[in-house]
Amino acid sequence: DTGVSQDPRHKITKRGQNVTFRCDPISEHNRLYWYRQTLGQGPEFLTYFQNEAQLEKSRLLSDRFSAERPKGSFSTLEIQRTEQGDSAMYLCASSPRDRVYQGYTFGSGTRLTVV
Amino acid sequence: DAKTTQPNSMESNEEEPVHLPCNHSTISGTDYIHWYRQLPSQGPEYVIHGLTSNVNNRMASLAIAEDRKSSTLILHRATLRDAAVYYCILTKNSGGSNYKLTFGKGTLLTVNP
């Protein structure tokens, strides 16, 4: 069990550019979540997948944001036309569905800086 | 959704017990109480959860008030590695079906050597 992997760890981009982040969950986990965390705040829920189906999206996820989880394995989060307000830590987490609850497993996040 | 209230910060000394409080006066009968912590530059980490009874695991203990309007996370012997932000979170179920975690600002625990 290698945990939840996120790539890249850091990303600096110019305003208006598109960025894509990748999350590799724990292999036997069928649930995957994306969160965003700004400085001094707790993480905020963005979206949730069960297998390949995206079952819930937060209002925080504007039209510029899109998330996918093809084949129910890894997931990508794309931000189009980045804005300075998108600067944050983007966290991915996974969990199994049918086992006794053991909590989410979070990755270490991708820190995005929009300049 | 029921809200939780935690102190912004707390301090402890190494090898002493730490009691982190959480108030959730509007908790409903089906809400579970979860605790996560976030070490610097890391994602959050599950600590413990419970419904009505006190719970113990290898990381901590969770003491839940009889009326469930408050709970306390207990670290029995704080170490420097326990310095983190601790989040108290309520959810509608324990995880068998869809749910999401709603984080507040948490309590920043400082552990002094």
Side-chain angles (χ1 to χ4, degrees):
Chain A
D1 183 353
T2 58
V4 176
S5 300
Q6 292 191 246
D7 185 68
R9 288 296 308 273
H10 303 274
K11 177 73 176 179
I12 299 174
T13 191
K14 292 184 178 179
R15 189 174 52 186
Q17 297 294 305
N18 299 344
V19 294
T20 300
F21 310 140
R22 177 179 172 121
C23 171
D24 287 274
I26 292 174
S27 57
E28 63 265 29
H29 287 185
N30 60 354
R31 296 180 168 185
L32 186 146
Y33 311 82
W34 283 99
Y35 282 77
R36 180 175 71 184
Q37 185 173 25
T38 53
L39 207 59
Q41 305 294 319
E44 297 172 291
F45 171 80
L46 291 179
T47 190
Y48 152 69
F49 290 85
Q50 183 163 298
N51 300 313
E52 65 276 9
Q54 187 173 19
L55 297 185
E56 187 171 348
K57 291 168 61 173
S58 162
R59 294 173 195 167
L60 293 174
L61 219 61
S62 75
D63 292 345
R64 297 184 296 106
F65 287 71
S66 63
E68 294 182 343
R69 193 183 180 196
K71 303 178 184 177
S73 55
F74 71 92
S75 176
T76 58
L77 178 68
E78 182 184 14
I79 309 174
Q80 296 182 327
R81 305 180 304 280
T82 52
E83 302 172 356
Q84 287 188 323
D86 297 331
S87 295
M89 175 76 81
Y90 290 84
L91 293 160
C92 177
S94 69
S95 69
R97 176 181 178 183
D98 297 320
R99 287 165 52 188
V100 173
Y101 179 70
Q102 295 178 13
Y104 286 3
T105 302
F106 280 85
S108 295
T110 294
R111 180 165 295 285
L112 173 67
T113 302
V114 181
V115 297
Chain B
D1 290 342
K3 302 286 186 187
T4 62
T5 304
Q6 299 177 254
N8 290 333
S9 62
M10 291 184 64
E11 268 192 60
S12 173
N13 295 320
E14 202 174 6
E15 299 189 4
E16 291 184 355
V18 181
H19 291 233
L20 295 162
C22 181
N23 287 321
H24 27 79
S25 58
T26 60
I27 191 171
S28 73
T30 55
D31 285 339
Y32 283 77
I33 302 159
H34 302 251
W35 284 83
Y36 280 73
R37 71 180 186 181
Q38 188 170 22
L39 280 65
S41 301
Q42 301 284 328
E45 174 187 28
Y46 168 77
V47 177
I48 201 167
H49 81 288
L51 181 61
T52 55
S53 304
N54 294 345
V55 184
N56 300 296
N57 66 21
R58 63 175 180 81
M59 289 183 69
S61 295
L62 176 60
I64 301 173
E66 197 169 333
D67 64 5
R68 303 210 324 128
K69 292 184 184 298
S70 66
S71 61
T72 302
L73 180 70
I74 303 166
L75 307 178
H76 295 286
R77 287 182 70 234
T79 71
L80 297 178
R81 289 174 295 179
D82 292 321
V85 177
Y86 286 79
Y87 297 99
C88 171
I89 301 165
L90 303 182
T91 69
K92 286 298 177 189
N93 53 56
S94 70
S97 56
N98 180 24
Y99 73 100
K100 59 180 181 276
L101 301 175
T102 301
F103 291 82
K105 290 189 176 182
T107 297
L108 174 63
L109 175 66
T110 302
V111 180
N112 301 313

